[in-house]
Amino acid sequence: MTKQNSIRVDEQQGILRLDTANTTYVMGISNGLYLGHLYYGAKIPADDLSYRTALTTPMSPENIKKDFCVYMDSTDFEYPGWGIGDSREGAIKVRDALGSTRTNLIYKGYRISSSKALIPGLPATFASESDPEDVSTLEVDLQDPDTGLLVTLFYSAFWAEDIIARHVEVRNEGKNELVLERVLSASVDMRETDRQGKDLRLMTFYGIWAREFTKEIREIGHGRTGVSSIIGKTNNRAQPFLGLVSQDITQVSGEVYGLNFLYSGNFASMVEKNPNGGLRVSVGIHPEEFSWHLAPGEVFYAPEVVMTYSCCGLGKMSRNFHDLYRKHLIRGSYKDRKRPILINNWEATYFDFDTEKLLAIAKKAKECGIEMLVMDDGWFGKRNDPDSSLGDWWVNEEKLTGGLARLGRELEDMGMKFGIWFEPEMVSPDSELYRTHPDWAIAVPGREPSRSRNQLVLDVSREEVRDHIFNSMYKVLTSTKISYVKWDMNRHLTDLYSAGLPDCRQGELLHRFVLGVYDLQQRLLTAFPDLLLENCSSGGARFDPGMLYFSPQIWTSDDTDAYERIRIQEGAQMLYPLSCLGAHVSVCPNHVTGRVVPFKTRGHIALSGTFGYELDITKLSEEEHEMIRQQTAMYHKYNDLIRTGDFYRMASFRENGFFDCYGVVSKDKSEMLLTFIHVMNQPCMPTRWISIQGLDPDKLYAVEQVDDSTIGPSEQVTDATRKVCQAHGATLAHAGLIVPCRYGDFQSVLYRISEVKE
Ligand code: DGJ
């Protein structure tokens, strides 16, 4: 099996099979009619798996006829229908002209292609230009003979990344309109235990504002459980990710199945444990508040789910997702490029700024090696607090004398790039836009809509609303040279009603809203192909792989406290590449927590994200300015490695309560940057022992300390303290590295581990 024949179909046996470098996924036709699920897990040889169809269909054809409901309820299906005997979670439910929701999908045929389809209007993984053979696609058609509904399941195997990407297209080939009431993107019927026979556990990530990405592992009881969002966007309360893990899962051992959803709206990522054995995993648009009218000939596209399996721990799952997103999802001119080091004025000034203040920040920032000023909220309309002006995207000349043109010009003269904040999907009731177009806000006619942060949501499902937003942004972005946009989104969707939809189609609003957001971001990127877009939503409340298709980076959290960031970034790094995690150094005491962490440590922690600053640099000491110079130099030295390398977590402060350690290794294994954070000091604990993962066991490496938070600018690292040892990768993995503990809390140190040619 090679990547050239990663999809094979045995028509005689009715077996359809996908392989990646280390995994296998197999389906089979059950009872001559239904598409059954046979296997997903570690790579297995190309044996005849038809004996497994007997397992998914443990009944003779005569008995199936007599007791069809038992057959339906005990078979492993690939994309279960509705109302025909399967009492587990259905993947699709369609109401027909009779008013019935019976949805009976019969296997019809398949196609194989050596490419990867894009999905109209939605984010999707794609084949890389440099290695188009890395992905092949299997399309399987299922049809309901009674309604004419044709469902095509797409399975793309990304060979090197061990990823199966799935999405669904639903076409009405019947004569009557159909109403889709649920169209999930993936369903997987699988065993409930790992290979040791122990029950798999559910791994998810929960959070809240400023506390995003908290990993949780729980037992799976009988019935349905999981994570979801019903607020119209993805949510800081739950990532759309769902993992099934062995009880003894670690970074380097144990089994894990991980599924993530490329979508930025309501979702349900659920697992159901069945009394007759097995788990059913289902991921898709949340069926609550969803319905879609499909006229004859029309097609509905359900968003993509990406799945991976690792039998060697969580670290491999993370690296599979990181590689997939970096190579096959993130696009645009910054896909593989270093991002400018930015300074954002939000925590420096909040709403209280003017041109002079911004230029003073920019001037000092430039002197310290920072490359771009980002002007955050408060530059437009008459906005001096969160109570007004969203939607009025013209500059407030009382604050910014000379307008954006002057600010842009002076920044350019200084050699600084310029970035700007928008919250395009929103409108303040106190705004010119709302006074002119009150019906453009999402609200139920005649009822007072709920405000949040004193703002309402614009109905971007409507084309005229999108046109207006795009034109307003276009005007701003062409008024001076702007290199970056921070696209914010600070509330839930409530009071659901669109003046642009007939009453019977109100259930389409939330999905049309998400499609509208994607359309707007795509229009922006098409008009400004060199623009660096950073998505944000009250911190990380819309941090999902769907948004990564449009912006190569997303603001991870409004909590910039480096100590909190250790935990938040650990969660985020488990699912997303470091290159996309918005991370800034901010001032202490931290504005969210009041905590004080050494400046160097703040720098080290932000370095494993996009890197930037969020403070009033004009108020810092000369010593801190000097540290910024060192940090910006370090960013230039190590960002290529951090952005493109393989991530290995070697210790978790979340788990051990004292220290954190992770490293990024170059793809050729010639170099690693290791970050050790001694978070909490502990008496009588002079050293910590770290097994260094990810190096080539046979290569010889030099380990040197390159930056230490206990050493200030006046206390230079000497050759004696810098050079730690020379050892082979195998020695560093097994005998490990000894890291001296630091005096005080929140101390950190960076090590560079580089290959020595023997
Ligand atoms: C929420 C964002 O997360 C912050 O970074 C900041 O941009 C504010 N909104 C501005 O209102």
Side-chain angles (χ1 to χ4, degrees):
M1 281 162 285
T2 63
K3 62 181 172 180
Q4 283 79 14
N5 69 349
S6 63
I7 298 178
R8 270 152 324 137
V9 175
D10 180 337
E11 290 188 4
Q12 227 165 4
Q13 305 288 357
I15 303 285
L16 304 93
R17 172 184 172 123
L18 296 99
D19 285 288
T20 66
N22 303 293
T23 70
T24 300
Y25 191 103
V26 192
M27 298 166 258
I29 315 301
S30 169
N31 190 28
L33 292 174
Y34 295 100
L35 186 64
H37 179 78
L38 294 186
Y39 175 76
Y40 182 34
K43 178 92 155 245
I44 52 175
D47 293 324
D48 175 5
L49 274 186
S50 55
Y51 75 94
R52 292 268 311 172
T53 45
L55 283 184
T56 51
T57 316
M59 292 167 81
S60 66
E62 304 79 64
N63 283 340
I64 288 176
K65 198 163 168 61
K66 278 194 232 150
D67 221 336
F68 189 70
C69 290
V70 170
Y71 161 72
M72 278 317 232
D73 221 6
S74 55
T75 298
D76 291 346
F77 289 115
E78 202 48 40
Y79 197 70
W82 196 265
I84 42 171
D86 186 346
S87 61
R88 296 161 292 179
E89 187 93 42
I92 185 163
K93 176 184 175 193
V94 179
R95 198 170 288 278
D96 64 19
L98 295 173
S100 161
T101 53
R102 181 183 195 267
T103 310
N104 183 23
L105 297 176
I106 309 294
Y107 173 77
K108 194 175 172 212
Y110 74 93
R111 290 171 295 284
I112 296 174
S113 67
S114 54
S115 60
K116 170 72 178 59
L118 293 178
I119 313 176
L122 284 166
T125 51
F126 48 80
S128 85
E129 278 172 22
S130 59
D131 186 8
E133 287 180 347
D134 195 34
V135 58
S136 310
T137 302
L138 171 67
E139 297 174 29
V140 188
D141 289 334
L142 313 176
Q143 191 149 35
D144 185 335
D146 300 309
T147 59
L149 179 83
L150 178 74
V151 172
T152 305
L153 308 178
F154 287 74
Y155 298 81
S156 295
F158 285 91
W159 180 267
E161 294 78 15
D162 282 334
I163 296 279
I164 307 281
R166 296 176 59 169
H167 80 274
V168 178
E169 287 184 14
V170 177
R171 184 183 298 272
N172 185 350
E173 290 196 338
K175 291 194 177 65
N176 299 308
E177 185 178 82
L178 298 170
V179 182
L180 311 179
E181 295 193 349
R182 71 159 61 200
V183 185
L184 301 187
S185 295
S187 177
V188 192
D189 283 347
M190 51 194 288
R191 62 175 200 265
E192 68 208 53
T193 62
D194 66 7
R195 289 185 303 197
Q196 297 174 49
K198 291 200 176 142
D199 280 355
L200 289 166
R201 291 195 169 149
L202 174 64
M203 181 170 91
T204 53
F205 291 81
Y206 73 93
I208 196 162
W209 177 77
R211 271 204 280 127
E212 297 86 347
F213 284 107
T214 312
K215 186 179 88 183
E216 183 170 64
I217 296 187
R218 52 184 141 139
E219 280 180 23
I220 306 171
H222 287 91
R224 292 172 198 175
T225 185
V227 283
S228 62
S229 175
I230 50 157
I231 61 168
K233 59 171 179 175
T234 36
N235 203 332
N236 45 23
R237 294 185 175 234
Q239 268 292 306
F241 169 87
L242 182 145
L244 295 170
V245 298
S246 302
Q247 293 181 20
D248 58 356
I249 190 77
T250 69
Q251 283 292 314
V252 293
S253 64
E255 288 180 82
V256 51
Y257 294 86
L259 294 89
N260 212 344
F261 194 28
L262 275 65
Y263 189 62
S264 312
N266 281 4
F267 68 87
S269 298
M270 309 299 287
V271 60
E272 179 176 6
K273 185 171 185 166
N274 304 303
N276 56 354
L279 301 175
R280 174 166 289 174
V281 175
S282 21
V283 180
I285 295 178
H286 203 305
E288 286 284 345
E289 293 296 340
F290 170 82
S291 67
W292 196 272
H293 287 245
L294 205 65
E298 282 183 349
V299 184
F300 176 82
Y301 302 94
E304 189 164 279
V305 168
V306 290
M307 323 193 299
T308 193
Y309 166 82
S310 150
C311 59
C312 43
L314 292 170
K316 177 79 170 94
M317 175 196 80
S318 304
R319 289 187 291 280
N320 290 347
F321 280 134
H322 293 185
D323 283 345
L324 179 84
Y325 297 153
R326 287 184 298 197
K327 207 166 150 198
H328 301 287
L329 180 66
I330 291 171
R331 304 173 297 161
S333 63
Y334 280 96
K335 176 178 166 55
D336 299 315
R337 233 168 85 203
K338 193 155 61 164
R339 325 277 158 75
I341 303 175
L342 66 80
I343 185 161
N344 177 304
N345 75 310
W346 180 240
E347 287 192 28
T349 65
Y350 296 100
F351 293 101
D352 185 16
F353 60 89
D354 57 19
T355 309
E356 313 318 318
K357 179 75 212 171
L358 294 178
L359 288 174
I361 290 177
K363 186 162 176 284
K364 193 75 217 168
K366 170 76 185 166
E367 277 172 35
C368 296
I370 296 170
E371 298 157 309
M372 176 161 75
L373 175 87
V374 175
M375 178 170 65
D376 210 281
D377 194 356
W379 58 267
F380 50 90
K382 54 184 180 60
R383 187 157 165 102
N384 291 310
D385 55 43
D387 289 336
S388 83
S389 304
L390 291 170
D392 294 347
W393 301 114
W394 52 82
V395 68
N396 178 348
E397 295 239 12
E398 276 173 33
K399 271 181 169 175
L400 298 172
T401 40
L404 293 179
R406 178 187 154 209
L407 183 58
R409 195 176 51 247
E410 297 214 16
L411 287 172
E412 197 173 5
D413 290 349
M414 231 183 249
M416 286 286 274
K417 291 182 189 296
F418 181 25
I420 195 166
W421 179 97
F422 284 98
E423 197 175 356
E425 298 147 76
M426 295 295 151
V427 63
S428 304
D430 180 9
S431 66
E432 290 304 312
L433 181 65
Y434 189 70
R435 282 183 279 275
T436 320
H437 295 289
D439 67 310
W440 282 9
I442 294 179
V444 183
R447 297 186 205 156
E448 181 69 22
S450 330
R451 296 185 188 191
S452 181
R453 212 191 190 208
N454 211 356
Q455 64 198 52
L456 300 174
V457 184
L458 285 171
D459 184 357
V460 302
S461 73
R462 292 169 64 180
E463 201 171 347
E464 69 270 41
V465 177
R466 292 202 298 279
D467 286 347
H468 174 83
I469 295 172
F470 177 75
N471 291 336
S472 314
M473 293 179 80
Y474 186 87
K475 220 164 158 186
V476 171
L477 295 176
T478 48
S479 67
T480 190
K481 200 165 170 203
I482 295 179
S483 310
Y484 162 108
V485 163
K486 177 175 173 185
W487 181 305
D488 206 346
M489 199 288 192
N490 287 308
R491 61 157 291 174
H492 303 181
L493 272 68
T494 59
D495 304 271
L496 300 179
Y497 186 87
S498 169
L501 289 170
D503 292 355
C504 66
R505 298 188 89 131
Q506 291 299 324
E508 298 180 18
L509 171 59
L510 288 180
H511 183 55
R512 287 186 185 276
F513 180 89
V514 178
L515 294 177
V517 173
Y518 290 155
D519 176 58
L520 264 174
Q521 296 208 347
Q522 187 54 52
R523 281 169 77 175
L524 200 65
L525 296 172
T526 307
F528 303 98
D530 287 329
L531 187 76
L532 173 57
L533 187 62
E534 175 156 352
N535 269 293
C536 168
S537 178
S538 312
R542 194 163 61 181
F543 199 126
D544 59 66
M547 293 322 268
L548 279 184
Y549 188 64
F550 300 93
S551 67
Q553 57 194 56
I554 304 178
W555 185 227
T556 315
S557 175
D558 275 349
D559 194 340
T560 54
D561 171 5
Y563 167 84
E564 287 289 313
R565 278 293 184 125
I566 297 170
R567 195 183 45 70
I568 295 169
Q569 290 178 197
E570 174 181 351
Q573 287 155 352
M574 204 170 277
L575 305 183
Y576 300 104
L578 277 51
S579 62
C580 77
L581 308 180
H584 298 167
V585 175
S586 66
V587 79
C588 278
N590 181 267
H591 290 190
V592 172
T593 62
R595 189 171 285 118
V596 177
V597 171
F599 202 93
K600 278 217 174 190
T601 304
R602 283 178 259 161
H604 291 168
I605 291 169
L607 211 56
S608 56
T610 55
F611 197 69
Y613 292 84
E614 179 126 359
L615 39 71
D616 187 348
I617 198 170
T618 65
K619 293 192 179 139
L620 299 185
S621 66
E622 189 38 46
E623 194 187 358
E624 287 167 320
H625 289 148
E626 181 51 32
M627 280 192 268
I628 295 181
R629 282 183 202 106
Q630 292 175 10
Q631 289 171 347
T632 52
M634 219 146 56
Y635 169 82
H636 287 299
K637 198 160 173 195
Y638 295 114
N639 183 257
D640 282 347
L641 172 60
I642 292 168
R643 234 181 40 251
T644 63
D646 288 334
F647 181 78
Y648 287 84
R649 170 157 293 279
M650 288 163 248
S652 161
F653 164 64
R654 259 185 196 182
E655 284 167 16
N656 64 41
F658 293 102
F659 62 102
D660 211 65
C661 184
Y662 50 84
V664 183
V665 190
S666 59
K667 290 277 176 195
D668 66 0
K669 300 213 180 278
S670 65
E671 193 186 10
M672 170 184 263
L673 184 72
L674 185 84
T675 305
F676 178 92
I677 309 158
H678 189 222
V679 188
M680 287 290 153
N681 202 358
Q682 194 182 24
C684 304
M685 186 57 74
T687 57
R688 298 284 178 188
W689 180 87
I690 300 286
S691 158
I692 307 295
Q693 303 292 315
L695 297 174
D696 181 334
D698 300 325
K699 280 186 174 159
L700 180 66
Y701 293 95
V703 182
E704 55 173 342
Q705 186 179 309
V706 287
D707 203 34
D708 186 327
S709 65
T710 55
I711 299 174
S714 52
E715 200 185 333
Q716 296 301 321
V717 181
T718 64
D719 278 355
T721 55
R722 187 184 299 125
K723 292 205 166 83
V724 177
C725 64
Q726 273 206 4
H728 286 88
T731 308
L732 291 168
H734 299 297
L737 184 71
I738 307 297
V739 184
C741 283
R742 269 67 187 165
Y743 187 66
D745 296 333
F746 318 128
Q747 304 296 328
S748 58
V749 55
L750 299 183
Y751 291 95
R752 178 166 182 253
I753 303 180
S754 44
E755 183 183 355
V756 178
K757 296 278 181 211
E758 288 184 275

